Amino acid sequence: MTDLIQAVVNGLLIGAVFALVAVGLTLIYGVMDVINFAHGEMLMLGMYTSFFAWSLLGLDPLLSIPITGVAIALTGAFMYFTAVGRVLGKSPLAQVMVTFGLQVFLRGLAQFLWKPDTRTVTDPLLGSVRWEIGGVVIGGPQLAMAIGALITTGAIAWFMSRTRLGGAIRAAGEDAPAASLMGIDPRKMYALCWVIAGLVTGVAGALLMNRYSASPTAGVMFVLMAFVVVAFGGFGSIYGAAIAGLLVGVAQGVVGLYAPSYTLAAALALYLLVVTVRPQGLLGTR
């Protein structure tokens, strides 16, 4: 029984991170109908930024979160103004090719600059911290990642649903012509959407460096799960991504306890089960 509870707890902790990684992805799709295939590479750049903040400035990944968030937010703005913004209103294939091209470019750039070697933060601030409750062990890095992910996800959900600027972004995503008539510039809202998505992804990158290593392909595993989480929770729904992330994490944790080779299959099976009953995902509306 203790092993099962441990698996559930581990699943919840990593599921919170899945949800945070998915937030940027679902935000961009929900507002702009653009699938960002370079999302994993933005996460990878966030992890490298956190690593270099540690190696060059001596900052622990938890302390480098503001730097990493701002750096990837600026990266998101750069991607929007130089590439993505230029194909808005064009065919969906053009948008796919642009974000796919950014994915290839950023990953190749990382391999050129930093080589395929993995970069690890040794002895992070909470690296040796662990708690044991009733035989269930919770590691400091995992708990820090989960708490940071939940706080950030909740903050973005609050911003989008409770603030005037968040409402303007949602209005631009739901009906751009009508939003223009109300004085909202959809293009500015789209750019802000990429900035927020970059900010969130940068925070996720810094949190992940508490336990994982940076490499040119570091974002692949997490963005794959992010796509599953976004579709599972419903495209464009931040709350849906949060719930789906936790469910996927628990499913992977429990299945991993008995059949470690089938954790990805478990996540995909859970997703297929839900979309069979509800094609738009848990909280999706389209």
Side-chain angles (χ1 to χ4, degrees):
M1 190 62 183
T2 302
D3 290 342
L4 181 59
I5 296 174
Q6 179 74 64
V8 171
V9 170
N10 290 343
L12 288 172
L13 295 177
I14 192 62
V17 179
F18 288 157
L20 179 59
V21 175
V23 163
L25 198 61
T26 199
L27 184 62
I28 289 175
Y29 181 84
V31 173
M32 302 170 61
D33 283 345
V34 171
I35 298 176
N36 181 18
F37 287 98
H39 192 70
E41 280 55 47
M42 294 172 72
L43 180 66
M44 172 267 292
L45 291 178
M47 295 175 75
Y48 271 115
T49 303
S50 181
F51 170 78
F52 286 117
W54 169 76
S55 64
L56 299 177
L57 304 176
L59 291 178
D60 185 84
L62 293 177
L63 301 178
S64 71
I65 285 176
I67 296 174
T68 308
V70 170
I72 307 307
L74 294 175
T75 302
F78 180 77
M79 291 167 65
Y80 174 80
F81 285 114
T82 58
V84 178
R86 298 177 182 277
V87 295
L88 287 182
K90 310 294 183 185
S91 71
L93 180 61
Q95 297 172 2
V96 168
M97 292 306 296
V98 164
T99 60
F100 185 72
L102 285 169
Q103 177 200 53
V104 174
F105 171 74
L106 292 175
R107 190 179 300 178
L109 182 65
Q111 288 179 334
F112 174 76
L113 292 175
W114 305 309
K115 311 302 177 188
D117 305 331
T118 58
R119 313 291 181 99
T120 305
V121 173
T122 57
D123 195 22
L125 194 61
L126 298 179
S128 59
V129 176
R130 65 198 297 267
W131 294 273
E132 183 171 350
I133 304 172
V136 176
V137 178
I138 301 175
Q142 293 97 320
L143 187 61
M145 288 192 303
I147 292 175
L150 290 174
I151 291 175
T152 308
T153 302
I156 296 301
W158 175 84
F159 172 81
M160 291 298 296
S161 62
R162 300 292 183 182
T163 67
R164 188 180 183 87
L165 195 53
I169 293 175
R170 287 188 288 112
E174 292 172 4
D175 192 334
S180 297
L181 293 175
M182 298 174 65
I184 298 170
D185 186 340
R187 291 272 176 175
K188 288 183 179 178
M189 296 301 105
Y190 297 156
L192 181 58
C193 184
W194 275 79
V195 169
I196 295 172
L199 175 68
V200 172
T201 308
V203 171
L207 291 172
L208 286 172
M209 285 306 291
N210 282 281
R211 182 174 172 81
Y212 298 91
S213 300
S215 73
T217 58
V220 173
M221 179 186 72
F222 291 100
V223 82
L224 175 61
M225 294 312 304
F227 274 111
V228 173
V229 167
V230 168
F232 184 3
F235 281 97
S237 172
I238 294 176
Y239 291 111
I243 296 171
L246 295 174
L247 290 176
V248 166
V250 171
Q252 285 200 318
V254 173
V255 172
L257 180 64
Y258 302 102
S261 300
Y262 293 94
T263 54
L264 178 58
L268 295 175
L270 184 61
Y271 159 68
L272 290 175
L273 178 64
V274 170
V275 297
T276 299
V277 179
R278 188 175 167 78
Q280 65 271 43
L282 287 175
L283 299 182
T285 56
R286 50 180 171 166

